[in-house]
Every structure is written in C-alpha cells, then in structure tokens.
Amino acid sequence: MKKVLVLACFAAVLLAVPNQATAANDNVPIINQGDFAVLYVFHARLDPQAAWTPESAIDSLVDLGIEPLNGWEPTMDMTEATMVQLLRFLDIPVYTSMPDRLVTVNEARAMFERFGRIMVQKLPALVEVHQIPATSIDRHAYGHPYLESSP
C-alpha cells in the first residue's frame, strides 16, 4: 500500500511540474488519442495476441465504457486532462494542474510503464462487469486467478 501511495505522489508531482524539454523543443512528438488508446490496451493486456490499431483499441475501450468526456478522436492530440480521466477509469491515482498541456509520447509511455501493474490488477473487474469471455490463451498470458475458472 505504501508503494502505491509513493508512486501516486511521484506521478502527481511529475504531472504537476512543467516538462522543460517540451517547452524548449518544438520537435518533441505529441501523442494523439488513437496511439494513446493502443498503449492503453497493450498495457492493460486486453488481448496480448492482438495487433492493435487505433480504431480497434478505441473500440475495445468503448466496449469497456472507457472513453473521454467528448468521445474518442483518434487524430486529436492528447491533453493531460484527457489522459488523467482515462487512467482514472482503472482507479490509477493521477492528477494534473495543467489540464490543457499536451502529452508527449515518452510521457504517455512512462505513465503506462509506471502503472501497468495496477492496470492489469484492475482488468478482472472490467472483464467481469462487461462479461468478456476469457480464452485459454488469455488464461495463460494473464495468469489471473479469475480466468482459471472462466469457460
């Protein structure tokens, strides 16, 4: 529990402090919502065997009830406010003091690397609520106890 709290505080500090590299370098790639969705489903391990595209990732997230307030726009740049909202669907404790700031590709990847384990732990609740069937490949790849009893 202490580790999660420390990570949450660390993430909040990282999001609250302006990224000097982004401000100083206009060539830093900004992630769009479609690519963010691909990272999201990959790190949540929704289907480890899938070759995700922005459209398929968005469809899977919408099926789970995960979408921005204004809906998904695959080519729109990701803002911190939207990223925080999407991560909080899985109870990831992140906040922002700069909601309109654009998220870079590296920041998004770092966020998923940092909270990937939490995402995988929260996945069973989403799967159970939305009654997504588990396959034998899923049972092996995820290693979740709830999948062992699935058909």
Side-chain angles (χ1 to χ4, degrees), residues 49-113:
Q49 304 296 318
W52 294 105
T53 64
E55 291 77 19
S56 65
I58 287 170
D59 290 342
S60 293
L61 291 172
V62 168
D63 289 344
L64 292 172
I66 299 173
E67 60 183 313
L69 291 173
N70 297 325
W72 287 99
E73 296 182 34
T75 58
M76 179 179 272
D77 290 338
M78 180 63 68
T79 63
E80 276 192 17
T82 303
M83 178 180 73
V84 166
Q85 179 209 355
L86 293 171
L87 292 174
R88 292 189 55 84
F89 272 101
L90 292 178
D91 294 329
I92 295 174
V94 292
Y95 303 90
T96 181
S97 63
M98 301 174 59
D100 296 327
R101 193 176 78 75
L102 299 178
V103 178
T104 67
V105 172
N106 289 339
E107 289 168 337
R109 287 182 178 159
M111 192 63 69
F112 285 117
E113 289 296 326

Side-chain angles (χ1 to χ4, degrees), residues 16 21 24-26 43 59 63 66 70-71 84 86 94 97 101 106 117-120 126 131 133-135 146:
N25 185 354
D26 291 336
H43 285 279
D59 290 342
D63 289 344
I66 299 173
N70 297 325
V84 166
L86 293 171
V94 292
S97 63
R101 193 176 78 75
N106 289 339
R117 181 173 291 215
I118 294 174
M119 294 178 78
V120 171
L126 285 177
Q131 299 177 350
T135 65
Y146 86 97

